[in-house]
mmCIF file with all atom_site columns, all heavy atoms in Angstrom:
data_model
loop_
_atom_site.group_PDB
_atom_site.id
_atom_site.type_symbol
_atom_site.label_atom_id
_atom_site.label_alt_id
_atom_site.label_comp_id
_atom_site.label_asym_id
_atom_site.label_entity_id
_atom_site.label_seq_id
_atom_site.pdbx_PDB_ins_code
_atom_site.Cartn_x
_atom_site.Cartn_y
_atom_site.Cartn_z
_atom_site.occupancy
_atom_site.B_iso_or_equiv
_atom_site.pdbx_formal_charge
_atom_site.auth_seq_id
_atom_site.auth_comp_id
_atom_site.auth_asym_id
_atom_site.auth_atom_id
_atom_site.pdbx_PDB_model_num
ATOM 1   N N   . LEU A 1 45  ? -109.031 129.125 168.015 1.00 98.00 ? 45  LEU A N   1
ATOM 2   C CA  . LEU A 1 45  ? -108.331 130.407 167.827 1.00 98.00 ? 45  LEU A CA  1
ATOM 3   C C   . LEU A 1 45  ? -109.070 131.579 168.481 1.00 98.00 ? 45  LEU A C   1
ATOM 4   O O   . LEU A 1 45  ? -108.510 132.673 168.611 1.00 98.00 ? 45  LEU A O   1
ATOM 5   C CB  . LEU A 1 45  ? -108.169 130.694 166.331 1.00 98.00 ? 45  LEU A CB  1
ATOM 6   C CG  . LEU A 1 45  ? -107.199 129.779 165.577 1.00 98.00 ? 45  LEU A CG  1
ATOM 7   C CD1 . LEU A 1 45  ? -107.413 129.885 164.070 1.00 98.00 ? 45  LEU A CD1 1
ATOM 8   C CD2 . LEU A 1 45  ? -105.753 130.147 165.918 1.00 98.00 ? 45  LEU A CD2 1
ATOM 9   N N   . ALA A 1 46  ? -110.330 131.354 168.839 1.00 98.00 ? 46  ALA A N   1
ATOM 10  C CA  . ALA A 1 46  ? -111.153 132.482 169.297 1.00 98.00 ? 46  ALA A CA  1
ATOM 11  C C   . ALA A 1 46  ? -111.548 132.412 170.773 1.00 98.00 ? 46  ALA A C   1
ATOM 12  O O   . ALA A 1 46  ? -112.240 133.308 171.257 1.00 98.00 ? 46  ALA A O   1
ATOM 13  C CB  . ALA A 1 46  ? -112.426 132.545 168.439 1.00 98.00 ? 46  ALA A CB  1
ATOM 14  N N   . ARG A 1 47  ? -111.116 131.358 171.459 1.00 98.00 ? 47  ARG A N   1
ATOM 15  C CA  . ARG A 1 47  ? -111.539 131.140 172.848 1.00 98.00 ? 47  ARG A CA  1
ATOM 16  C C   . ARG A 1 47  ? -111.582 132.415 173.693 1.00 98.00 ? 47  ARG A C   1
ATOM 17  O O   . ARG A 1 47  ? -110.676 133.230 173.622 1.00 98.00 ? 47  ARG A O   1
ATOM 18  C CB  . ARG A 1 47  ? -110.562 130.180 173.522 1.00 98.00 ? 47  ARG A CB  1
ATOM 19  C CG  . ARG A 1 47  ? -111.225 128.891 173.861 1.00 98.00 ? 47  ARG A CG  1
ATOM 20  C CD  . ARG A 1 47  ? -110.279 127.920 174.493 1.00 98.00 ? 47  ARG A CD  1
ATOM 21  N NE  . ARG A 1 47  ? -110.324 126.686 173.758 1.00 98.00 ? 47  ARG A NE  1
ATOM 22  C CZ  . ARG A 1 47  ? -109.279 126.016 173.319 1.00 98.00 ? 47  ARG A CZ  1
ATOM 23  N NH1 . ARG A 1 47  ? -108.070 126.448 173.550 1.00 98.00 ? 47  ARG A NH1 1
ATOM 24  N NH2 . ARG A 1 47  ? -109.447 124.907 172.655 1.00 98.00 ? 47  ARG A NH2 1
ATOM 25  N N   . LEU A 1 48  ? -112.620 132.539 174.522 1.00 98.00 ? 48  LEU A N   1
ATOM 26  C CA  . LEU A 1 48  ? -112.790 133.738 175.342 1.00 98.00 ? 48  LEU A CA  1
ATOM 27  C C   . LEU A 1 48  ? -112.338 133.475 176.775 1.00 98.00 ? 48  LEU A C   1
ATOM 28  O O   . LEU A 1 48  ? -112.629 132.412 177.337 1.00 98.00 ? 48  LEU A O   1
ATOM 29  C CB  . LEU A 1 48  ? -114.265 134.138 175.363 1.00 98.00 ? 48  LEU A CB  1
ATOM 30  C CG  . LEU A 1 48  ? -114.852 134.580 174.018 1.00 98.00 ? 48  LEU A CG  1
ATOM 31  C CD1 . LEU A 1 48  ? -116.370 134.463 174.035 1.00 98.00 ? 48  LEU A CD1 1
ATOM 32  C CD2 . LEU A 1 48  ? -114.423 136.002 173.709 1.00 98.00 ? 48  LEU A CD2 1
ATOM 33  N N   . GLN A 1 52  ? -114.891 137.914 179.151 1.00 98.00 ? 52  GLN A N   1
ATOM 34  C CA  . GLN A 1 52  ? -114.728 138.473 177.799 1.00 98.00 ? 52  GLN A CA  1
ATOM 35  C C   . GLN A 1 52  ? -116.024 138.324 176.998 1.00 98.00 ? 52  GLN A C   1
ATOM 36  O O   . GLN A 1 52  ? -116.865 137.478 177.313 1.00 98.00 ? 52  GLN A O   1
ATOM 37  C CB  . GLN A 1 52  ? -113.564 137.786 177.081 1.00 98.00 ? 52  GLN A CB  1
ATOM 38  C CG  . GLN A 1 52  ? -112.210 138.287 177.586 1.00 98.00 ? 52  GLN A CG  1
ATOM 39  C CD  . GLN A 1 52  ? -111.061 137.882 176.693 1.00 98.00 ? 52  GLN A CD  1
ATOM 40  O OE1 . GLN A 1 52  ? -111.045 136.790 176.149 1.00 98.00 ? 52  GLN A OE1 1
ATOM 41  N NE2 . GLN A 1 52  ? -110.086 138.760 176.563 1.00 98.00 ? 52  GLN A NE2 1
ATOM 42  N N   . ARG A 1 53  ? -116.105 139.146 175.965 1.00 98.00 ? 53  ARG A N   1
ATOM 43  C CA  . ARG A 1 53  ? -117.322 139.143 175.151 1.00 98.00 ? 53  ARG A CA  1
ATOM 44  C C   . ARG A 1 53  ? -116.974 138.884 173.683 1.00 98.00 ? 53  ARG A C   1
ATOM 45  O O   . ARG A 1 53  ? -116.048 139.490 173.140 1.00 98.00 ? 53  ARG A O   1
ATOM 46  C CB  . ARG A 1 53  ? -117.981 140.523 175.271 1.00 98.00 ? 53  ARG A CB  1
ATOM 47  C CG  . ARG A 1 53  ? -119.437 140.450 174.827 1.00 98.00 ? 53  ARG A CG  1
ATOM 48  C CD  . ARG A 1 53  ? -119.947 141.743 174.374 1.00 98.00 ? 53  ARG A CD  1
ATOM 49  N NE  . ARG A 1 53  ? -120.167 142.715 175.423 1.00 98.00 ? 53  ARG A NE  1
ATOM 50  C CZ  . ARG A 1 53  ? -121.132 143.621 175.354 1.00 98.00 ? 53  ARG A CZ  1
ATOM 51  N NH1 . ARG A 1 53  ? -121.969 143.609 174.352 1.00 98.00 ? 53  ARG A NH1 1
ATOM 52  N NH2 . ARG A 1 53  ? -121.250 144.528 176.259 1.00 98.00 ? 53  ARG A NH2 1
ATOM 53  N N   . ALA A 1 119 ? -115.550 149.418 170.246 1.00 98.00 ? 119 ALA A N   1
ATOM 54  C CA  . ALA A 1 119 ? -114.658 148.719 171.181 1.00 98.00 ? 119 ALA A CA  1
ATOM 55  C C   . ALA A 1 119 ? -115.417 147.980 172.282 1.00 98.00 ? 119 ALA A C   1
ATOM 56  O O   . ALA A 1 119 ? -115.110 148.113 173.461 1.00 98.00 ? 119 ALA A O   1
ATOM 57  C CB  . ALA A 1 119 ? -113.685 149.736 171.793 1.00 98.00 ? 119 ALA A CB  1
ATOM 58  N N   . VAL A 1 121 ? -116.292 144.434 172.032 1.00 98.00 ? 121 VAL A N   1
ATOM 59  C CA  . VAL A 1 121 ? -116.103 142.975 172.076 1.00 98.00 ? 121 VAL A CA  1
ATOM 60  C C   . VAL A 1 121 ? -114.606 142.627 171.999 1.00 98.00 ? 121 VAL A C   1
ATOM 61  O O   . VAL A 1 121 ? -113.792 143.381 171.460 1.00 98.00 ? 121 VAL A O   1
ATOM 62  C CB  . VAL A 1 121 ? -116.873 142.230 170.939 1.00 98.00 ? 121 VAL A CB  1
ATOM 63  C CG1 . VAL A 1 121 ? -118.359 142.495 171.006 1.00 98.00 ? 121 VAL A CG1 1
ATOM 64  C CG2 . VAL A 1 121 ? -116.329 142.568 169.569 1.00 98.00 ? 121 VAL A CG2 1
ATOM 65  N N   . ASP A 1 122 ? -114.267 141.457 172.563 1.00 98.00 ? 122 ASP A N   1
ATOM 66  C CA  . ASP A 1 122 ? -112.871 140.987 172.561 1.00 98.00 ? 122 ASP A CA  1
ATOM 67  C C   . ASP A 1 122 ? -112.570 140.107 171.357 1.00 98.00 ? 122 ASP A C   1
ATOM 68  O O   . ASP A 1 122 ? -111.414 139.960 170.966 1.00 98.00 ? 122 ASP A O   1
ATOM 69  C CB  . ASP A 1 122 ? -112.592 140.195 173.842 1.00 98.00 ? 122 ASP A CB  1
ATOM 70  C CG  . ASP A 1 122 ? -112.889 141.026 175.076 1.00 98.00 ? 122 ASP A CG  1
ATOM 71  O OD1 . ASP A 1 122 ? -112.040 141.846 175.427 1.00 98.00 ? 122 ASP A OD1 1
ATOM 72  O OD2 . ASP A 1 122 ? -113.991 140.882 175.652 1.00 98.00 ? 122 ASP A OD2 1
ATOM 73  N N   . ARG A 1 123 ? -113.602 139.446 170.843 1.00 98.00 ? 123 ARG A N   1
ATOM 74  C CA  . ARG A 1 123 ? -113.422 138.562 169.685 1.00 98.00 ? 123 ARG A CA  1
ATOM 75  C C   . ARG A 1 123 ? -114.586 138.757 168.722 1.00 98.00 ? 123 ARG A C   1
ATOM 76  O O   . ARG A 1 123 ? -115.730 138.859 169.165 1.00 98.00 ? 123 ARG A O   1
ATOM 77  C CB  . ARG A 1 123 ? -113.491 137.084 170.085 1.00 98.00 ? 123 ARG A CB  1
ATOM 78  C CG  . ARG A 1 123 ? -112.450 136.622 171.035 1.00 98.00 ? 123 ARG A CG  1
ATOM 79  C CD  . ARG A 1 123 ? -111.156 136.260 170.304 1.00 98.00 ? 123 ARG A CD  1
ATOM 80  N NE  . ARG A 1 123 ? -110.225 135.741 171.267 1.00 98.00 ? 123 ARG A NE  1
ATOM 81  C CZ  . ARG A 1 123 ? -109.450 136.486 172.051 1.00 98.00 ? 123 ARG A CZ  1
ATOM 82  N NH1 . ARG A 1 123 ? -109.493 137.805 171.970 1.00 98.00 ? 123 ARG A NH1 1
ATOM 83  N NH2 . ARG A 1 123 ? -108.632 135.930 172.925 1.00 98.00 ? 123 ARG A NH2 1
ATOM 84  N N   . VAL A 1 124 ? -114.259 138.740 167.437 1.00 98.00 ? 124 VAL A N   1
ATOM 85  C CA  . VAL A 1 124 ? -115.310 138.598 166.420 1.00 98.00 ? 124 VAL A CA  1
ATOM 86  C C   . VAL A 1 124 ? -115.038 137.281 165.718 1.00 98.00 ? 124 VAL A C   1
ATOM 87  O O   . VAL A 1 124 ? -113.911 137.038 165.259 1.00 98.00 ? 124 VAL A O   1
ATOM 88  C CB  . VAL A 1 124 ? -115.286 139.748 165.395 1.00 98.00 ? 124 VAL A CB  1
ATOM 89  C CG1 . VAL A 1 124 ? -116.312 139.500 164.300 1.00 98.00 ? 124 VAL A CG1 1
ATOM 90  C CG2 . VAL A 1 124 ? -115.560 141.083 166.074 1.00 98.00 ? 124 VAL A CG2 1
ATOM 91  N N   . ARG A 1 144 ? -113.998 145.933 162.868 1.00 98.00 ? 144 ARG A N   1
ATOM 92  C CA  . ARG A 1 144 ? -112.861 146.646 163.467 1.00 98.00 ? 144 ARG A CA  1
ATOM 93  C C   . ARG A 1 144 ? -113.363 147.660 164.501 1.00 98.00 ? 144 ARG A C   1
ATOM 94  O O   . ARG A 1 144 ? -112.814 147.784 165.586 1.00 98.00 ? 144 ARG A O   1
ATOM 95  C CB  . ARG A 1 144 ? -112.083 147.341 162.334 1.00 98.00 ? 144 ARG A CB  1
ATOM 96  C CG  . ARG A 1 144 ? -111.133 148.410 162.740 1.00 98.00 ? 144 ARG A CG  1
ATOM 97  C CD  . ARG A 1 144 ? -109.844 147.853 163.302 1.00 98.00 ? 144 ARG A CD  1
ATOM 98  N NE  . ARG A 1 144 ? -108.993 148.930 163.767 1.00 98.00 ? 144 ARG A NE  1
ATOM 99  C CZ  . ARG A 1 144 ? -109.032 149.453 164.979 1.00 98.00 ? 144 ARG A CZ  1
ATOM 100 N NH1 . ARG A 1 144 ? -109.873 148.999 165.885 1.00 98.00 ? 144 ARG A NH1 1
ATOM 101 N NH2 . ARG A 1 144 ? -108.225 150.434 165.320 1.00 98.00 ? 144 ARG A NH2 1
ATOM 102 N N   . VAL A 1 146 ? -116.038 147.607 166.347 1.00 98.00 ? 146 VAL A N   1
ATOM 103 C CA  . VAL A 1 146 ? -116.586 147.055 167.599 1.00 98.00 ? 146 VAL A CA  1
ATOM 104 C C   . VAL A 1 146 ? -115.554 146.251 168.393 1.00 98.00 ? 146 VAL A C   1
ATOM 105 O O   . VAL A 1 146 ? -115.807 145.873 169.530 1.00 98.00 ? 146 VAL A O   1
ATOM 106 C CB  . VAL A 1 146 ? -117.851 146.191 167.353 1.00 98.00 ? 146 VAL A CB  1
ATOM 107 C CG1 . VAL A 1 146 ? -118.947 147.012 166.698 1.00 98.00 ? 146 VAL A CG1 1
ATOM 108 C CG2 . VAL A 1 146 ? -117.547 144.932 166.558 1.00 98.00 ? 146 VAL A CG2 1
ATOM 109 N N   . THR A 1 147 ? -114.370 145.977 167.776 1.00 98.00 ? 147 THR A N   1
ATOM 110 C CA  . THR A 1 147 ? -113.375 145.151 168.468 1.00 98.00 ? 147 THR A CA  1
ATOM 111 C C   . THR A 1 147 ? -112.451 146.012 169.323 1.00 98.00 ? 147 THR A C   1
ATOM 112 O O   . THR A 1 147 ? -111.913 147.011 168.851 1.00 98.00 ? 147 THR A O   1
ATOM 113 C CB  . THR A 1 147 ? -112.522 144.362 167.444 1.00 98.00 ? 147 THR A CB  1
ATOM 114 O OG1 . THR A 1 147 ? -113.402 143.658 166.575 1.00 98.00 ? 147 THR A OG1 1
ATOM 115 C CG2 . THR A 1 147 ? -111.633 143.344 168.131 1.00 98.00 ? 147 THR A CG2 1
ATOM 116 N N   . ARG A 1 148 ? -112.287 145.583 170.569 1.00 98.00 ? 148 ARG A N   1
ATOM 117 C CA  . ARG A 1 148 ? -111.383 146.316 171.480 1.00 98.00 ? 148 ARG A CA  1
ATOM 118 C C   . ARG A 1 148 ? -109.942 146.202 171.025 1.00 98.00 ? 148 ARG A C   1
ATOM 119 O O   . ARG A 1 148 ? -109.572 145.222 170.365 1.00 98.00 ? 148 ARG A O   1
ATOM 120 C CB  . ARG A 1 148 ? -111.438 145.673 172.869 1.00 98.00 ? 148 ARG A CB  1
ATOM 121 C CG  . ARG A 1 148 ? -112.659 146.038 173.593 1.00 98.00 ? 148 ARG A CG  1
ATOM 122 C CD  . ARG A 1 148 ? -112.567 145.656 175.070 1.00 98.00 ? 148 ARG A CD  1
ATOM 123 N NE  . ARG A 1 148 ? -113.862 145.933 175.609 1.00 98.00 ? 148 ARG A NE  1
ATOM 124 C CZ  . ARG A 1 148 ? -114.665 145.036 176.163 1.00 98.00 ? 148 ARG A CZ  1
ATOM 125 N NH1 . ARG A 1 148 ? -114.269 143.802 176.322 1.00 98.00 ? 148 ARG A NH1 1
ATOM 126 N NH2 . ARG A 1 148 ? -115.852 145.387 176.591 1.00 98.00 ? 148 ARG A NH2 1
ATOM 127 N N   . SER A 1 149 ? -109.154 147.132 171.451 1.00 97.00 ? 149 SER A N   1
ATOM 128 C CA  . SER A 1 149 ? -107.719 147.093 171.190 1.00 97.00 ? 149 SER A CA  1
ATOM 129 C C   . SER A 1 149 ? -107.164 145.781 171.756 1.00 97.00 ? 149 SER A C   1
ATOM 130 O O   . SER A 1 149 ? -107.514 145.388 172.874 1.00 97.00 ? 149 SER A O   1
ATOM 131 C CB  . SER A 1 149 ? -107.101 148.310 171.879 1.00 97.00 ? 149 SER A CB  1
ATOM 132 O OG  . SER A 1 149 ? -105.733 148.256 171.723 1.00 97.00 ? 149 SER A OG  1
ATOM 133 N N   . ASP A 1 150 ? -106.337 145.104 170.952 1.00 95.00 ? 150 ASP A N   1
ATOM 134 C CA  . ASP A 1 150 ? -105.794 143.785 171.317 1.00 95.00 ? 150 ASP A CA  1
ATOM 135 C C   . ASP A 1 150 ? -106.798 142.647 171.141 1.00 95.00 ? 150 ASP A C   1
ATOM 136 O O   . ASP A 1 150 ? -106.471 141.495 171.408 1.00 95.00 ? 150 ASP A O   1
ATOM 137 C CB  . ASP A 1 150 ? -105.244 143.737 172.746 1.00 95.00 ? 150 ASP A CB  1
ATOM 138 C CG  . ASP A 1 150 ? -103.777 144.064 172.744 1.00 95.00 ? 150 ASP A CG  1
ATOM 139 O OD1 . ASP A 1 150 ? -103.192 144.087 171.646 1.00 95.00 ? 150 ASP A OD1 1
ATOM 140 O OD2 . ASP A 1 150 ? -103.228 144.323 173.827 1.00 95.00 ? 150 ASP A OD2 1
ATOM 141 N N   . GLY A 1 151 ? -107.995 142.980 170.721 1.00 98.00 ? 151 GLY A N   1
ATOM 142 C CA  . GLY A 1 151 ? -108.986 141.942 170.421 1.00 98.00 ? 151 GLY A CA  1
ATOM 143 C C   . GLY A 1 151 ? -108.625 141.256 169.104 1.00 98.00 ? 151 GLY A C   1
ATOM 144 O O   . GLY A 1 151 ? -107.711 141.680 168.389 1.00 98.00 ? 151 GLY A O   1
ATOM 145 N N   . ARG A 1 152 ? -109.363 140.207 168.804 1.00 98.00 ? 152 ARG A N   1
ATOM 146 C CA  . ARG A 1 152 ? -108.989 139.401 167.634 1.00 98.00 ? 152 ARG A CA  1
ATOM 147 C C   . ARG A 1 152 ? -110.220 139.064 166.788 1.00 98.00 ? 152 ARG A C   1
ATOM 148 O O   . ARG A 1 152 ? -111.306 138.866 167.337 1.00 98.00 ? 152 ARG A O   1
ATOM 149 C CB  . ARG A 1 152 ? -108.357 138.115 168.154 1.00 98.00 ? 152 ARG A CB  1
ATOM 150 C CG  . ARG A 1 152 ? -108.005 137.132 167.071 1.00 98.00 ? 152 ARG A CG  1
ATOM 151 C CD  . ARG A 1 152 ? -107.538 135.825 167.630 1.00 98.00 ? 152 ARG A CD  1
ATOM 152 N NE  . ARG A 1 152 ? -106.230 135.908 168.235 1.00 98.00 ? 152 ARG A NE  1
ATOM 153 C CZ  . ARG A 1 152 ? -105.597 134.856 168.772 1.00 98.00 ? 152 ARG A CZ  1
ATOM 154 N NH1 . ARG A 1 152 ? -106.177 133.683 168.806 1.00 98.00 ? 152 ARG A NH1 1
ATOM 155 N NH2 . ARG A 1 152 ? -104.406 134.996 169.295 1.00 98.00 ? 152 ARG A NH2 1
ATOM 156 N N   . ILE A 1 153 ? -110.019 138.976 165.478 1.00 98.00 ? 153 ILE A N   1
ATOM 157 C CA  . ILE A 1 153 ? -111.092 138.431 164.632 1.00 98.00 ? 153 ILE A CA  1
ATOM 158 C C   . ILE A 1 153 ? -110.634 137.089 164.067 1.00 98.00 ? 153 ILE A C   1
ATOM 159 O O   . ILE A 1 153 ? -109.453 136.897 163.755 1.00 98.00 ? 153 ILE A O   1
ATOM 160 C CB  . ILE A 1 153 ? -111.522 139.358 163.472 1.00 98.00 ? 153 ILE A CB  1
ATOM 161 C CG1 . ILE A 1 153 ? -110.339 139.750 162.604 1.00 98.00 ? 153 ILE A CG1 1
ATOM 162 C CG2 . ILE A 1 153 ? -112.262 140.558 163.969 1.00 98.00 ? 153 ILE A CG2 1
ATOM 163 C CD1 . ILE A 1 153 ? -110.788 140.308 161.270 1.00 98.00 ? 153 ILE A CD1 1
ATOM 164 N N   . GLY A 1 216 ? -108.251 148.031 158.836 1.00 98.00 ? 216 GLY A N   1
ATOM 165 C CA  . GLY A 1 216 ? -107.614 148.583 160.038 1.00 98.00 ? 216 GLY A CA  1
ATOM 166 C C   . GLY A 1 216 ? -107.071 147.536 160.997 1.00 98.00 ? 216 GLY A C   1
ATOM 167 O O   . GLY A 1 216 ? -106.558 147.873 162.059 1.00 98.00 ? 216 GLY A O   1
ATOM 168 N N   . PHE A 1 217 ? -107.165 146.245 160.631 1.00 98.00 ? 217 PHE A N   1
ATOM 169 C CA  . PHE A 1 217 ? -106.633 145.199 161.511 1.00 98.00 ? 217 PHE A CA  1
ATOM 170 C C   . PHE A 1 217 ? -105.129 145.042 161.277 1.00 98.00 ? 217 PHE A C   1
ATOM 171 O O   . PHE A 1 217 ? -104.606 145.385 160.210 1.00 98.00 ? 217 PHE A O   1
ATOM 172 C CB  . PHE A 1 217 ? -107.336 143.865 161.249 1.00 98.00 ? 217 PHE A CB  1
ATOM 173 C CG  . PHE A 1 217 ? -108.748 143.834 161.775 1.00 98.00 ? 217 PHE A CG  1
ATOM 174 C CD1 . PHE A 1 217 ? -109.832 144.046 160.929 1.00 98.00 ? 217 PHE A CD1 1
ATOM 175 C CD2 . PHE A 1 217 ? -108.996 143.583 163.121 1.00 98.00 ? 217 PHE A CD2 1
ATOM 176 C CE1 . PHE A 1 217 ? -111.131 144.021 161.413 1.00 98.00 ? 217 PHE A CE1 1
ATOM 177 C CE2 . PHE A 1 217 ? -110.290 143.560 163.611 1.00 98.00 ? 217 PHE A CE2 1
ATOM 178 C CZ  . PHE A 1 217 ? -111.363 143.775 162.755 1.00 98.00 ? 217 PHE A CZ  1
ATOM 179 N N   . ALA A 1 218 ? -104.449 144.483 162.283 1.00 98.00 ? 218 ALA A N   1
ATOM 180 C CA  . ALA A 1 218 ? -103.003 144.249 162.182 1.00 98.00 ? 218 ALA A CA  1
ATOM 181 C C   . ALA A 1 218 ? -102.730 142.749 162.285 1.00 98.00 ? 218 ALA A C   1
ATOM 182 O O   . ALA A 1 218 ? -103.629 141.963 162.615 1.00 98.00 ? 218 ALA A O   1
ATOM 183 C CB  . ALA A 1 218 ? -102.296 144.989 163.308 1.00 98.00 ? 218 ALA A CB  1
ATOM 184 N N   . ASP A 1 219 ? -101.460 142.368 162.028 1.00 98.00 ? 219 ASP A N   1
ATOM 185 C CA  . ASP A 1 219 ? -101.019 140.965 162.164 1.00 98.00 ? 219 ASP A CA  1
ATOM 186 C C   . ASP A 1 219 ? -101.954 140.001 161.415 1.00 98.00 ? 219 ASP A C   1
ATOM 187 O O   . ASP A 1 219 ? -102.336 138.949 161.942 1.00 98.00 ? 219 ASP A O   1
ATOM 188 C CB  . ASP A 1 219 ? -100.982 140.503 163.633 1.00 98.00 ? 219 ASP A CB  1
ATOM 189 C CG  . ASP A 1 219 ? -100.280 141.503 164.535 1.00 98.00 ? 219 ASP A CG  1
ATOM 190 O OD1 . ASP A 1 219 ? -99.243  142.021 164.109 1.00 98.00 ? 219 ASP A OD1 1
ATOM 191 O OD2 . ASP A 1 219 ? -100.780 141.770 165.643 1.00 98.00 ? 219 ASP A OD2 1
ATOM 192 N N   . VAL A 1 234 ? -107.079 135.365 160.536 1.00 98.00 ? 234 VAL A N   1
ATOM 193 C CA  . VAL A 1 234 ? -106.983 135.833 161.922 1.00 98.00 ? 234 VAL A CA  1
ATOM 194 C C   . VAL A 1 234 ? -106.260 137.178 161.905 1.00 98.00 ? 234 VAL A C   1
ATOM 195 O O   . VAL A 1 234 ? -105.310 137.360 161.136 1.00 98.00 ? 234 VAL A O   1
ATOM 196 C CB  . VAL A 1 234 ? -106.172 134.827 162.776 1.00 98.00 ? 234 VAL A CB  1
ATOM 197 C CG1 . VAL A 1 234 ? -106.097 135.276 164.232 1.00 98.00 ? 234 VAL A CG1 1
ATOM 198 C CG2 . VAL A 1 234 ? -106.778 133.433 162.698 1.00 98.00 ? 234 VAL A CG2 1
ATOM 199 N N   . ALA A 1 235 ? -106.728 138.096 162.725 1.00 98.00 ? 235 ALA A N   1
ATOM 200 C CA  . ALA A 1 235 ? -106.055 139.406 162.809 1.00 98.00 ? 235 ALA A CA  1
ATOM 201 C C   . ALA A 1 235 ? -106.334 140.026 164.163 1.00 98.00 ? 235 ALA A C   1
ATOM 202 O O   . ALA A 1 235 ? -107.288 139.625 164.845 1.00 98.00 ? 235 ALA A O   1
ATOM 203 C CB  . ALA A 1 235 ? -106.550 140.325 161.694 1.00 98.00 ? 235 ALA A CB  1
ATOM 204 N N   . THR A 1 236 ? -105.499 140.984 164.541 1.00 98.00 ? 236 THR A N   1
ATOM 205 C CA  . THR A 1 236 ? -105.746 141.663 165.816 1.00 98.00 ? 236 THR A CA  1
ATOM 206 C C   . THR A 1 236 ? -106.118 143.117 165.571 1.00 98.00 ? 236 THR A C   1
ATOM 207 O O   . THR A 1 236 ? -105.791 143.708 164.536 1.00 98.00 ? 236 THR A O   1
ATOM 208 C CB  . THR A 1 236 ? -104.495 141.632 166.736 1.00 98.00 ? 236 THR A CB  1
ATOM 209 O OG1 . THR A 1 236 ? -103.388 142.119 165.981 1.00 98.00 ? 236 THR A OG1 1
ATOM 210 C CG2 . THR A 1 236 ? -104.188 140.244 167.228 1.00 98.00 ? 236 THR A CG2 1
ATOM 211 N N   . SER A 1 237 ? -106.781 143.650 166.570 1.00 97.00 ? 237 SER A N   1
ATOM 212 C CA  . SER A 1 237 ? -107.200 145.039 166.486 1.00 97.00 ? 237 SER A CA  1
ATOM 213 C C   . SER A 1 237 ? -106.120 145.887 167.181 1.00 97.00 ? 237 SER A C   1
ATOM 214 O O   . SER A 1 237 ? -105.832 145.641 168.350 1.00 97.00 ? 237 SER A O   1
ATOM 215 C CB  . SER A 1 237 ? -108.538 145.174 167.210 1.00 97.00 ? 237 SER A CB  1
ATOM 216 O OG  . SER A 1 237 ? -109.027 146.442 167.071 1.00 97.00 ? 237 SER A OG  1
ATOM 217 N N   . PRO A 1 238 ? -105.498 146.825 166.489 1.00 96.00 ? 238 PRO A N   1
ATOM 218 C CA  . PRO A 1 238 ? -104.371 147.560 167.102 1.00 96.00 ? 238 PRO A CA  1
ATOM 219 C C   . PRO A 1 238 ? -104.834 148.489 168.236 1.00 96.00 ? 238 PRO A C   1
ATOM 220 O O   . PRO A 1 238 ? -105.991 148.810 168.317 1.00 96.00 ? 238 PRO A O   1
ATOM 221 C CB  . PRO A 1 238 ? -103.783 148.343 165.951 1.00 96.00 ? 238 PRO A CB  1
ATOM 222 C CG  . PRO A 1 238 ? -104.777 148.326 164.861 1.00 96.00 ? 238 PRO A CG  1
ATOM 223 C CD  . PRO A 1 238 ? -105.763 147.237 165.120 1.00 96.00 ? 238 PRO A CD  1
#
Side-chain angles (χ1 to χ4, degrees):
L45 291 164
R47 246 179 234 131
L48 295 159
Q52 284 193 323
R53 198 204 288 212
V121 301
D122 303 280
R123 298 276 184 277
V124 175
R144 164 77 184 88
V146 300
T147 307
R148 283 193 186 119
S149 176
D150 268 348
R152 176 187 289 182
I153 55 164
F217 287 99
D219 312 318
V234 182
T236 52
S237 185

